[in-house]
Amino acid sequence: MKLDYAALTTLIYILTSISPAMSQWWYLGVVGPYAGTENGIIVRPKEARSKRAQPCEDMPFLGARQKELCNQGEFIIDVISEGAAMAISECLMQFKDRRWNCTTFDTTDVFGNILSLGVREKSFVYSITSAGVMQAVTRACGRGEIGNCGCDTNVYKRDTKNQFQWGGCSHNPEFGARFAREFVDTKELENNSDSKMNLWNNEAGRQTVKKKMKTLCKCHGVSASCAVRICWRSLSDFKEVGDALKVSYDGAKKVRYVARKDALKPAQKHYAKPKKRDLVYFKESPNFCEFDSSVGSLGTMGRQCNRTSQGLDSCSLLCCGRGFVSQIKEVEEDCNCRFAWCCKVVCDKCRRKQEFNYCK
Ligand SMILES: *[C@@H]1O[C@H](CO)[C@@H](O)[C@H](O)[C@H]1NC(C)=O
Ligand SMILES: *[C@@H]1O[C@H](CO)[C@@H](O)[C@H](O)[C@H]1NC(C)=O
């Protein structure tokens, strides 16, 4: 057999240049119906969910199993898109004051080369996107938007110690978790260190959604007597999930991969074992001070910093000691606001000078 050497080298080049992080389902959060954020808040589509514009087969950033799941219901892809968009915008909010500010790109991996390293930031991205899908699916189930799931009736069996009665629609986290597990984890097929880390963090995200659920109640009775209290289990705002995952990010556990056992172990013998809601990572992060696209670092030059802060957004920490430049700009804001009969608030526009600081 004659080997075409040129074709072979091209093939090897192509195979080795495809990084596993390349195409990601969470690209749906960028191109889907929920795409686009305003000040970090998702802009919701105005009309009710529309028929999906694109067949699942035409979404090359989805894996085979993901396309199957996508085809199971008319609105599933919208719900996943909502989960992804919610996760992306929460990541932007949580990290807006940090050197790595969860920058997203218009590429199918969305978060760029940060995903090629086994660092904490990657752990956060995996956990929050997985949590986002679970949250969106669970909520959609509660609204009756997905065929084979609904409210959780198992809660009725839980003892209320005669304090209240179960009623209403309780969110069912099990279906959402199962769906998210099937949809999100399916890309991690191999038994290797990267997959192990991603699967762990995906699960930590879902566990956090569940942990953050709460019992909400409403009183019924004559004039606020609260003779009857009706309660149900509900998801928290996704912001609370984001806050919790940010805490987990700060306390993430460094681990190593033991191939022989296909397991993650603490990086050092005396470290505690990671718990199921902990985020895990392999490598310390770069400091994100300078531009280095190979590690997904844009650097902090030009970032706005806070001169009076002692925190991570302070000019000394954010600018990595390079110093900053100050600019006085005129800003316009509402002032002299007054109540106008009836019933609105009327304001004047005032201009005032404000100092802005930017990293050198
Ligand atoms: C990975 O390991 C699990 C058990 O830990 C096993 O069930 C599975 O078949 C393995 N997968 C591959 C692709 O080797
Ligand atoms: C995030 O950081 C990048 C690079 O420094 C910057 O261009 C971008 O404006 C920042 N985003 C926000 C929301 O501050």
Side-chain angles (χ1 to χ4, degrees):
M1 196 179 73
K2 218 176 111 214
L3 256 179
D4 183 347
Y5 184 72
L8 189 65
T9 18
T10 315
L11 181 65
I12 289 175
Y13 174 76
I14 291 170
L15 288 178
T16 50
S17 63
I18 295 175
S19 81
M22 229 164 82
S23 246
Q24 291 286 356
W25 61 270
W26 52 59
Y27 188 51
L28 275 171
V30 181
V31 294
Y34 281 81
T37 59
E38 255 170 33
N39 306 320
I41 312 293
I42 304 170
V43 183
R44 290 179 177 281
K46 288 196 182 56
E47 66 277 24
R49 297 183 192 285
S50 53
K51 267 207 158 88
R52 65 170 175 263
Q54 207 184 0
C56 304
E57 283 70 27
D58 294 353
M59 301 181 189
F61 45 90
L62 295 183
R65 179 72 187 132
Q66 289 174 334
K67 286 178 186 167
E68 272 174 43
L69 288 167
C70 168
N71 275 321
Q72 279 183 1
E74 204 180 327
F75 300 127
I76 285 186
I77 209 66
D78 288 9
V79 175
I80 294 164
S81 166
E82 180 186 3
M86 201 160 69
I88 293 169
S89 91
E90 187 57 30
C91 182
L92 288 164
M93 287 295 276
Q94 292 290 342
F95 284 85
K96 66 181 179 356
D97 292 337
R98 302 231 177 180
R99 288 179 190 163
W100 179 76
N101 63 2
C102 194
T103 321
T104 55
F105 303 89
D106 193 18
T107 51
T108 54
D109 62 3
V110 182
F111 299 96
N113 278 342
I114 191 78
L115 301 176
S116 62
L117 313 170
V119 294
R120 282 167 195 261
E121 288 73 18
K122 180 180 180 183
S123 314
F124 186 84
V125 164
Y126 274 77
S127 66
I128 195 122
T129 46
S130 164
V133 168
M134 172 170 167
Q135 175 103 358
V137 170
T138 306
R139 239 174 12 201
C141 287
R143 290 190 302 246
E145 289 176 0
I146 297 184
N148 48 349
C149 66
C151 306
D152 189 359
T153 49
N154 280 329
V155 291
Y156 293 124
K157 294 179 198 142
R158 289 204 213 166
D159 187 11
T160 65
K161 302 198 174 68
N162 289 326
Q163 302 290 301
F164 60 84
Q165 291 173 22
W166 290 114
C169 176
S170 286
H171 282 138
N172 184 350
E174 303 308 332
F175 182 89
R178 208 172 335 123
F179 184 92
R181 206 170 283 132
E182 262 199 77
F183 185 86
V184 175
D185 288 3
T186 173
K187 281 249 171 140
E188 315 294 340
L189 293 172
E190 288 149 58
N191 288 335
N192 63 27
S193 58
D194 277 352
S195 288
K196 212 74 191 169
M197 171 174 150
N198 297 343
L199 288 173
W200 186 289
N201 293 319
N202 287 347
E203 186 61 27
R206 294 185 289 261
Q207 292 289 341
T208 304
V209 171
K210 197 170 166 187
K211 168 80 181 168
K212 282 283 141 190
M213 285 186 74
K214 48 188 155 199
T215 304
L216 299 180
C217 299
K218 217 178 202 168
C219 279
H220 297 269
V222 194
S223 58
S225 66
C226 210
V228 184
R229 233 153 69 92
I230 303 285
C231 302
W232 63 95
R233 297 286 293 161
S234 171
L235 293 170
S236 288
D237 274 354
F238 198 61
K239 161 122 191 13
E240 289 182 42
V241 175
D243 288 346
L245 287 174
K246 177 70 169 311
V247 170
S248 304
Y249 161 89
D250 284 325
K253 301 283 185 289
K254 191 171 184 180
V255 294
R256 68 196 162 88
Y257 177 66
V258 180
R260 190 166 38 87
K261 296 184 177 160
D262 184 36
L264 299 176
K265 299 281 176 192
Q268 305 269 322
K269 278 233 164 56
H270 60 278
Y271 285 3
K273 267 205 246 168
K275 303 203 181 61
K276 63 182 178 186
R277 279 198 308 276
D278 284 333
L279 299 186
V280 299
Y281 69 102
F282 292 131
K283 280 210 187 91
E284 297 303 339
S285 307
N287 62 21
F288 299 111
C289 282
E290 310 295 336
F291 180 88
D292 182 351
S293 63
S294 69
V295 297
S297 169
L298 294 179
T300 63
M301 202 174 103
R303 284 282 297 279
Q304 195 183 337
C305 61
N306 184 341
R307 196 208 257 274
T308 51
S309 159
Q310 302 289 317
L312 291 168
D313 61 338
S314 70
C315 289
S316 56
L317 282 179
L318 192 64
C319 308
C320 306
R322 294 185 307 262
F324 58 94
V325 289
S326 299
Q327 283 176 18
I328 308 289
K329 289 186 191 168
E330 237 182 27
V331 292
E332 197 178 75
E333 58 188 13
D334 288 345
C335 59
N336 304 326
C337 293
R338 58 208 172 267
F339 184 73
W341 190 264
C342 178
C343 299
K344 56 183 177 187
V345 176
V346 186
C347 301
D348 297 334
K349 293 279 178 216
C350 294
R351 303 176 78 80
R352 79 184 165 81
K353 293 195 157 64
Q354 193 186 333
E355 185 187 274
F356 291 89
N357 302 296
Y358 300 97
C359 293
K360 276 189 185 163

